Amino acid sequence: MTPDQITQIQESFAKVAPISDAAAEIFYARLFEIAPEVKPYFKGDMKEQGKKLMQMITVAVKGLDNLGELVPAVQKLGERHNGYGVKAEHYDTVGEALLDTLEKGLGEAFTTETKEAWTITYTTLASVMKEAQFGKA
Ligand code: HEM
């Protein structure tokens, strides 16, 4: 991840953070549109769930300069996802819903470079989580 890509992510996320409740709502609506089968996995209050998701993304975005330090926490998060019934292929679906949400929330600020930087960030997080959850592919 280049310093420029880190800036892309941090600046674009700063625009989404003030509207994080709305962003979380868009995200879950999109996720359940693409993958209705995952809806029953979510047992808790979706507002709370949305807050947790945005908090986790905030931590990840802040820690991009030193992703290595985040690995243990992300591994634990991956292990917990085993108990939520999540399958490996759902990580692609969640990634798609996340990118769609950013595109909707950011409009023209969601440039090709911003999209690329988010794709790398999400793919990195997802692969650490999947490895912790399912073992090395
Ligand atoms: C980078 C990817 C992901 C991140 C950062 C993330 C983040 C989180 C966080 C922070 C929680 C709160 C509970 C906890 O900390 O253990 C959570 C719970 C959960 N996540 Fe994820 N998640 C990701 C991927 C996924 C995927 C691919 C699915 C598949 C549908 C999923 C489904 C769930 C479910 C079902 C729960 C529990 C909901 C409940 O308690 O009712 N997550 N996730």
Side-chain angles (χ1 to χ4, degrees), residues 12 26 32 52 81 113 128:
S12 61
I26 297 173
F32 298 151
K52 284 183 199 162
H81 277 67
E113 290 77 27
V128 173

Side-chain angles (χ1 to χ4, degrees), residues 32-85:
F32 298 151
E33 194 176 82
I34 315 174
E37 75 275 12
V38 306
K39 208 169 175 179
Y41 294 171
F42 293 89
K43 317 259 186 237
D45 177 73
M46 289 314 288
K47 262 222 154 96
E48 280 307 306
Q49 178 64 28
K51 280 199 190 1
K52 284 183 199 162
L53 178 77
M54 295 308 286
Q55 259 166 22
M56 183 64 208
I57 298 179
T58 308
V59 171
V61 168
K62 284 193 182 141
L64 285 178
D65 306 297
N66 205 340
L67 262 183
E69 274 181 18
L70 280 180
V71 167
V74 177
Q75 281 171 334
K76 288 207 177 82
L77 182 64
E79 284 166 14
R80 289 199 296 277
H81 277 67
N82 215 12
Y84 304 148

